[in-house]
Amino acid sequence: MDYLSQLNSAQAEAVTTTEGYIRVVAGAGSGKTKTLTARYMYLVDMLGISTANILCVTFTNKAAAEMKKRIRRQLPDQDLARITTFHGFCVSLLKEDCHVVGYPKTFLIMDEEDKKAMLSTVFEDLGITGRDITIQEAIDHIGWRKGGRGYVKTLIDSDMNHLLELTQSASTLKDKILYRYFYEQRKCFALDFDDLIYFALYILNHSREVREKWQQRLEYVMVDEFQDIDKDQYSLADILSGYHKNLFVVGDPDQTIYTWRGADVKFILEFPSRHPGAKTIYLNENYRSAPQILAASNALIEKNRERLEKRLTAVRGDNRKPLYFHAKTSALEADWITANMRALHEAEEGIAYSDMGVLYRAHYVSRALEESLIKNKIPYILYSGVEFYKRKEIKDVLSYLRMVYHPDDISFLRTVNEPKRGVGRTRIAALKAYAAAKGCTLYDALLANLETESFRRSHAKDYARLIEKYRAVYDNMDLTDLLAGILHDSGYETMLRSAGEEERLDNLAELKQAIFDFTRKAGETVTLGNYLDHAALFTNMDTGEKAQAVKLMTIHSAKGLEFPVVFLCGLSEGIFPGKRANTREKLEEERRLCYVAFTRARDRLFLSDAAGTSYDGSFRYPSRFLFNAEKENVDYAVPLEPGLEEKTQSIVRETEDLGEQRCVPSDVTGKRVRHPVFGAGTVIGVPRDGQGLIVQFDGIVTPRTFADSGKVTFE
């Protein structure tokens, strides 16, 4: 069929090599989806394999839908149900075989909102409030406990009474919640997304009959985005292909960017050692990006050590290098970006705004850019996120500032019980009734009722004390100090930190930066009222029709997408790579993420960062990734000031040397080591944070834990 004639030699080899273990290393823009689709069609059309005997696993429902769409153009009458996600396949398996573990085929699949609703019921039944533990903390604990996998047997073997007994006998609050959650799950035979994979693995591992049935049925197993799979997904693919031994995996180690959710690059890197005789095919021809963009991308990613050696070559032609701009401030960086957008859009053969993508490491980086886009009336859409001034934590904190400046009912209702202070619906209803009778604000109603029996049992007095404290002094305070004081004294920042809400904390840090920039620009005349008016303008302005709009998104959200024009902003040390990238492994993942960003661009790539001082007094320097791309591959919009690159390089030496010391080999358990004081020993594990080593020394009864693996030498 004509699909074969559209393949290059490497793609054709991947399509027609049908038997055995095959690893396809497919670089960015190399036609990975095209190859995977063609191979599926080849198996069905040329070899006559039934679609019921081919499992093709993609990473997202969107990717599965796109693949089905392409195949149906060539094979319109085929059943493509087994082109699916890991979770989708597990549902199919469980619908057919969940009787093995005593579950009905009508089991309930819970999404995240269902989990939260179930936990709300658990909290209510156990008399737990948000002051004891948050819903999110409970979800995190349940996910962590389920990671041990042993819970599946508990759910399967326990009757309802036993689960209640486990709840009552639990020694910690978190475990009480865990077992009561299991009780609620078991009551309605509900499975959450984690359960789908764990239950499927349990059945395959414990029922020889079911395992052999699926192994014999699935003659060919194909896995897309193999660099992003976790150990459970790998186990599924390995087990299912265990009879016919036809496992075809496609991925790019240079695009492993999801280790924070369990992905492990070693599964694609070590594929040949896990499957002796496996064949590796490289797809190195890039059909997406212009040659100069690709040259910068190759130079960047080659700085990583944990990768397979490959170098993409461009098929198309263009002579424009990525353009880099080092701005004096974040506002000037944003204005430079919007100026280039307008120039490209208004050129003779103008580029549509919808063909432009703005990428950044985290959403908080978008604040200055959003302000500039609104100011310049350029329409934009924020993908996988909420516009900066509309994010919950930003609106909450601005409401605190409004309460200090001039209390209003809307701000009061947003802040009085955030964090939880026991001012719930009943007490709010009483305040509303009082305010209506007296013709006053809700805040005045609260002040008037603080000594009543009802409010003495809450923490409302703490809230009133906070507001009154800052109402008395805000006129004489620096705005950044005012914000910091409110965040600390209210407990808001502590609440987010306790819940591990790192992105929300980053957003608050960016708000501090926004206030710092505003006060510096406005000079001595700035007031709290001035800033609140400024923020309100950006909160309430409408940029109009957004169908033809610039796309703003994190780099993680951009995975799998491409744009004619890409702006990558916020390329500063401490932002990208982030401050938490404190090991070589974490730095390499940040570099892979930058590589993904570079390779989203087809025709033009714009890079930018901003100098200046942050709200915490630190100075911002250009990212090492700019220099990793090599100067000859990048055009500079303005020359860099002397010393800036040298300062970045000194930061790199400090952080990467430190990271090198902390680095732990991927598989260290059982290896022999030597310590200058303790002598010889054996590694028995690593600490829970993954950094350092736990060593049992020959001459010491109990093991020793080292935060820094550089303290021992591997023999």
Side-chain angles (χ1 to χ4, degrees):
M1 295 182 74
D2 61 348
Y3 61 84
L4 291 175
S5 64
Q6 299 171 13
L7 304 174
N8 64 36
S9 59
Q11 291 170 338
E13 184 183 8
V15 167
T16 57
T17 306
T18 61
E19 307 306 302
Y21 291 98
I22 303 157
R23 175 181 66 172
V24 176
V25 180
S30 63
K32 169 179 68 67
T33 303
K34 180 182 182 180
T35 303
L36 196 65
T37 302
R39 188 177 196 269
Y40 187 97
M41 290 189 289
Y42 184 82
L43 289 171
V44 176
D45 176 54
M46 300 298 289
L47 301 191
I49 305 297
S50 169
T51 60
N53 301 118
I54 305 171
L55 174 64
C56 183
V57 180
T58 64
F59 223 71
T60 64
N61 288 313
K62 181 181 177 183
E66 175 61 26
M67 191 171 170
K68 289 177 181 178
K69 181 181 175 182
R70 294 189 189 193
I71 292 171
R72 285 199 176 101
R73 292 176 190 152
Q74 303 279 349
L75 306 172
D77 300 322
Q78 296 290 339
D79 180 2
L80 305 180
R82 293 223 164 97
I83 300 175
T84 183
T85 62
F86 276 108
H87 288 98
F89 169 75
C90 288
V91 169
S92 300
L93 184 150
L94 292 172
K95 289 289 183 183
E96 190 169 321
D97 293 310
C98 60
H99 63 276
V100 172
V101 292
Y103 271 56
K105 293 182 180 181
T106 54
F107 65 85
L108 174 68
I109 302 172
M110 299 194 300
D111 61 18
E112 286 301 306
E113 291 306 310
D114 294 328
K115 281 170 69 172
K116 291 176 182 177
M118 184 172 283
L119 279 167
S120 293
T121 300
V122 169
F123 275 38
E124 188 175 341
D125 290 349
L126 295 178
I128 298 169
T129 70
R131 282 181 291 177
D132 301 313
I133 184 175
T134 66
I135 294 285
Q136 189 56 54
E137 286 174 314
I139 289 173
D140 291 343
H141 179 70
I142 291 167
W144 177 70
R145 287 293 300 272
K146 284 186 173 183
R149 318 293 187 269
Y151 84 96
V152 175
K153 187 171 174 57
T154 301
L155 268 177
I156 293 169
D157 292 346
S158 302
D159 59 24
M160 305 300 292
N161 288 330
H162 182 58
L163 290 172
L164 283 179
E165 289 170 5
L166 289 172
T167 304
Q168 292 161 2
S169 62
S171 58
T172 67
L173 178 63
K174 287 182 176 180
D175 279 354
K176 284 185 183 294
I177 295 169
L178 173 76
Y179 290 118
R180 185 54 186 261
Y181 179 78
F182 286 171
Y183 172 85
E184 296 294 335
Q185 277 195 276
R186 190 70 171 80
K187 186 165 65 176
C188 55
F189 294 105
L191 300 178
D192 61 31
F193 272 43
D194 288 338
D195 298 327
L196 296 176
I197 296 232
Y198 299 157
F199 269 62
L201 276 173
Y202 183 91
I203 291 171
L204 289 170
N205 283 317
H206 289 81
S207 173
R208 180 177 177 179
E209 181 183 351
V210 172
R211 181 174 64 254
E212 290 181 351
K213 176 185 70 175
W214 282 100
Q215 286 178 331
Q216 292 171 23
R217 180 184 296 174
L218 300 176
E219 298 175 8
Y220 296 89
V221 178
M222 302 161 64
V223 184
D224 192 14
E225 304 288 4
F226 197 71
Q227 78 279 351
D228 289 327
I229 67 166
D230 60 31
K231 63 181 179 180
D232 297 307
Q233 293 162 341
Y234 176 81
S235 293
L236 270 173
D238 202 40
I239 291 170
L240 294 170
S241 59
Y243 180 74
H244 296 286
K245 303 189 184 307
N246 291 326
L247 177 60
F248 179 91
V249 303
V250 186
D252 183 6
D254 290 337
Q255 297 186 71
T256 303
I257 60 174
Y258 294 112
T259 60
W260 49 273
R261 70 182 188 193
D264 194 334
V265 71
K266 73 181 181 184
F267 292 123
I268 190 168
L269 292 177
E270 298 174 1
F271 190 82
S273 63
R274 292 171 181 267
H275 303 288
K279 184 172 185 176
T280 296
I281 300 169
Y282 288 88
L283 304 186
N284 286 335
E285 292 186 35
N286 178 284
Y287 294 86
R288 177 187 300 155
S289 301
Q292 298 287 5
I293 294 173
L294 213 52
S297 304
N298 284 330
L300 168 75
I301 199 60
E302 285 169 359
K303 305 303 185 291
N304 273 7
R305 300 183 192 179
E306 194 171 21
R307 63 186 298 269
L308 296 172
E309 289 296 327
K310 63 178 175 64
R311 190 172 183 87
L312 294 179
T313 57
V315 173
R316 43 176 307 209
D318 197 301
N319 60 1
R320 286 173 294 189
K321 297 179 181 180
L323 182 62
Y324 164 53
F325 178 64
H326 176 69
K328 296 295 184 184
T329 66
S330 296
L332 291 174
E333 179 189 9
D335 288 344
W336 180 79
I337 292 171
T338 54
N340 277 283
M341 286 177 177
R342 190 171 293 283
L344 291 168
H345 182 68
E346 295 177 353
E348 186 174 344
E349 296 183 4
I351 298 173
Y353 284 130
S354 56
D355 286 336
M356 302 179 193
V358 182
L359 310 184
Y360 36 73
R361 179 63 181 87
H363 278 303
Y364 70 86
V365 176
S366 71
R367 189 266 313 169
L369 181 60
E370 287 186 61
E371 293 185 5
S372 185
L373 288 165
I374 292 169
K375 181 177 66 179
N376 288 282
K377 295 183 169 54
I378 295 177
Y380 72 92
I381 298 172
L382 194 73
Y383 275 58
S384 300
V386 180
E387 294 174 18
F388 184 81
Y389 286 105
K390 293 180 180 178
R391 293 168 197 167
K392 180 183 182 304
E393 60 276 13
I394 302 302
K395 290 182 72 70
D396 285 348
V397 174
L398 289 177
S399 293
Y400 267 110
L401 291 175
R402 289 192 184 98
M403 287 299 298
V404 169
Y405 182 65
H406 187 74
D408 65 89
D409 286 358
I410 295 173
S411 299
F412 175 83
L413 290 171
R414 256 202 110 87
T415 56
V416 67
N417 207 39
E418 191 71 25
K420 302 297 183 190
R421 300 185 179 94
V423 187
R425 284 176 293 181
T426 302
R427 291 186 173 100
I428 291 293
L431 291 178
K432 287 181 176 178
Y434 183 95
K438 299 292 185 179
C440 64
T441 66
L442 292 175
Y443 181 64
D444 286 335
L446 177 69
L447 294 178
N449 286 275
L450 284 175
E451 297 303 326
T452 63
E453 177 65 22
S454 174
F455 284 94
R456 280 205 306 269
R457 295 199 305 268
S458 73
H459 292 274
K461 189 174 285 187
D462 295 338
Y463 174 78
R465 194 179 295 119
L466 169 79
I467 302 301
E468 292 304 303
K469 172 185 174 180
Y470 287 103
R471 287 188 74 188
V473 299
Y474 78 85
D475 263 340
N476 300 313
M477 288 186 73
D478 178 86
L479 289 188
T480 53
D481 293 339
L482 173 64
L483 178 63
I486 289 173
L487 285 171
H488 178 269
D489 293 353
S490 66
Y492 196 95
E493 204 163 35
T494 301
M495 173 187 73
L496 295 183
R497 191 164 285 111
S498 299
E501 297 277 4
E502 295 293 345
E503 186 171 347
R504 294 193 169 194
L505 288 167
D506 285 341
N507 287 338
L508 291 184
E510 182 59 22
L511 181 63
K512 294 175 186 175
Q513 185 68 45
I515 291 176
F516 176 78
D517 292 343
F518 179 78
T519 55
R520 186 174 57 180
K521 187 183 295 184
E524 294 180 1
T525 60
V526 68
T527 65
L528 175 58
N530 296 148
Y531 179 73
L532 290 173
D533 290 344
H534 167 80
L537 287 173
F538 291 103
T539 304
N540 298 320
M541 284 181 69
D542 185 1
T543 58
E545 176 60 43
K546 294 190 175 181
Q548 290 295 317
V550 175
K551 279 83 170 175
L552 274 61
M553 64 187 72
T554 65
I555 304 167
H556 283 101
S557 300
K559 183 74 161 47
L561 303 178
E562 59 182 64
F563 301 93
V565 180
V566 167
F567 295 87
L568 177 58
C569 60
L571 279 164
S572 299
E573 286 291 316
I575 297 176
F576 195 21
K579 292 179 180 178
R580 291 187 285 274
N582 57 0
T583 67
R584 179 171 64 80
E585 286 88 349
K586 291 176 181 178
L587 281 166
E588 291 206 353
E589 177 151 4
E590 290 283 282
R591 191 174 286 110
R592 290 195 295 267
L593 192 60
C594 192
Y595 173 77
V596 167
F598 275 32
T599 55
R600 298 312 93 193
R602 292 209 298 263
D603 305 319
R604 301 293 304 276
L605 175 61
F606 295 84
L607 311 170
S608 61
D609 74 309
T613 306
S614 297
Y615 70 92
D616 60 1
S618 60
F619 194 81
R620 293 189 293 234
Y621 294 95
S623 169
R624 69 192 72 191
F625 299 152
L626 292 161
F627 308 115
N628 286 164
E630 302 298 345
K631 287 183 179 178
E632 65 265 24
N633 297 321
V634 179
D635 283 333
Y636 285 57
V638 295
L640 274 185
E641 295 175 10
L644 275 180
E645 182 176 353
E646 287 77 7
K647 182 59 182 176
T648 296
Q649 296 299 353
S650 71
I651 294 171
V652 169
R653 284 192 294 273
E654 291 172 11
T655 56
E656 297 207 5
D657 288 348
L658 178 64
E660 193 64 27
Q661 287 179 348
R662 293 181 182 174
C663 240
V664 177
S666 59
D667 186 14
V668 296
T669 302
K671 293 195 174 177
R672 296 288 290 174
V673 296
R674 182 166 293 277
H675 188 274
V677 176
F678 299 127
T682 303
V683 179
I684 61 172
V686 297
R688 280 184 58 185
D689 63 4
Q691 297 182 14
L693 297 170
I694 304 172
V695 180
Q696 178 65 67
F697 290 99
D698 298 347
I700 302 177
V701 176
T702 58
R704 296 291 183 267
T705 301
F706 300 92
D708 180 354
S709 60
K711 300 298 183 185
V712 298
T713 305
F714 285 88
E715 295 183 345

